[in-house]
Amino acid sequence: MEILLVEDNKAISKGLMYSLEQNGYKVTLCESAEQAINTVSKGFDLFIFDITLPDGSGFELFEEFHRLCDAPAIFLTALDDEDSIVKGFELGADDYITKPFSTRELLARIKRVTRDISKRNKSEFGDISIDFEKKVVKKNGVYVELTALEYKIFSMLAQNAGKVVTRDIILERIWDIAGNYVEDNTLTVYIKRIRKKLGTDIIKTVKGLGYKLEV
């Protein structure tokens, strides 16, 4: 598992990296929001954020990451007031740990978060199933051949089943995979291809907004 640790306190980050790596995790350290933004495109399985960073807020950084990535996130911070904790969870964080903390506690929280995520790694929508861990889509148990971009689009819709995913959000996320800009008209073509390959109309167009996968 690859972890992105965003922490500007060198004493804390040094000890954390050692403990995490001793427990089999691969850790990349960023000491600022700017450095983290430039690193996120490499892809990680888990994010650990400090909230008070030298060049910005961990809350804002999390919101930016959350628009681009699906990986779980843990806030690890000295901010222990109720408003900050509530805000962290309302933004969508999977856990919130206040400093000081024990390494054993953090390791236990990481295991719980990743275990909870793995339980959500499979979803079914009628005769369509998706395995997010294996990146596999099936129809009536038969593999559906999707390109990397088609899979990414469908997985975004599946992870947000019943909710509208805007065209802007989809375009922003698939841009990272394609390595170049994907036009709005091209997205329409991809959606049509996905519908045809799945042989189903569960992907609905929400006029003027985006798309929704109906459960």
Side-chain angles (χ1 to χ4, degrees), residues 4-163:
L4 177 61
L5 172 64
V6 186
E7 170 63 68
D8 65 318
N9 186 311
K10 294 183 184 297
I12 292 176
S13 62
K14 184 178 180 180
L16 270 180
M17 288 188 68
Y18 176 79
S19 297
L20 291 170
E21 289 172 349
Q22 286 295 107
N23 281 271
Y25 299 108
K26 182 178 179 180
V27 184
T28 298
L29 172 65
C30 290
E31 298 180 328
S32 67
E34 181 181 6
Q35 188 180 1
I37 288 293
N38 293 331
T39 306
V40 66
S41 60
K42 295 180 181 179
F44 294 91
D45 301 302
L46 175 69
F47 300 114
I48 299 178
F49 293 96
D50 188 6
I51 292 176
T52 307
L53 298 170
D55 58 346
S57 162
F59 287 138
E60 295 175 356
L61 182 63
F62 170 78
E63 288 183 291
E64 180 68 20
F65 275 33
H66 202 48
R67 291 192 304 120
L68 300 172
C69 312
D70 300 319
I74 296 174
F75 281 120
L76 185 62
T77 175
L79 296 180
D80 59 357
D81 60 285
E82 183 179 347
D83 288 344
S84 295
I85 295 172
V86 170
K87 182 176 181 179
F89 283 115
E90 286 182 341
L91 287 175
D94 295 272
D95 210 338
Y96 192 109
I97 304 173
T98 57
K99 302 173 182 176
F101 63 94
S102 72
T103 303
R104 287 183 63 191
E105 177 188 4
L106 175 60
L107 291 170
R109 300 282 193 102
I110 290 174
K111 288 180 180 179
R112 182 191 63 77
V113 166
T114 52
R115 182 174 63 247
D116 290 346
I117 293 298
S118 67
K119 289 179 181 178
R120 304 199 298 266
N121 267 349
K122 296 181 180 179
S123 294
E124 293 185 358
F125 309 97
D127 58 357
I128 304 295
S129 65
I130 180 169
D131 186 320
F132 297 107
E133 184 175 8
K134 296 180 180 179
K135 294 180 171 56
V136 168
V137 177
K138 294 181 180 181
K139 181 181 176 68
N140 291 319
V142 179
Y143 288 100
V144 177
E145 295 293 334
L146 298 178
T147 66
L149 278 173
E150 290 168 351
Y151 172 80
K152 182 63 176 179
I153 294 169
F154 182 68
S155 68
M156 274 190 278
L157 296 173
Q159 288 171 330
N160 293 278
K163 302 176 183 178

Side-chain angles (χ1 to χ4, degrees), residues 163-209:
K163 302 176 183 178
V164 177
V165 182
T166 67
R167 296 178 69 89
D168 288 342
I169 290 295
I170 296 175
L171 288 168
E172 192 171 7
R173 292 190 183 182
I174 63 177
W175 187 358
D176 288 340
I177 294 178
N180 49 42
Y181 183 68
V182 178
E183 295 182 352
D184 193 62
N185 290 337
T186 307
L187 175 58
T188 302
V189 173
Y190 278 119
I191 292 292
K192 289 180 179 178
R193 289 178 181 173
I194 296 169
R195 286 171 174 155
K196 183 176 180 180
K197 290 183 177 182
L198 295 178
T200 179
D201 62 351
I202 60 173
I203 300 176
K204 303 296 184 182
T205 299
V206 181
K207 191 173 181 179
L209 292 175

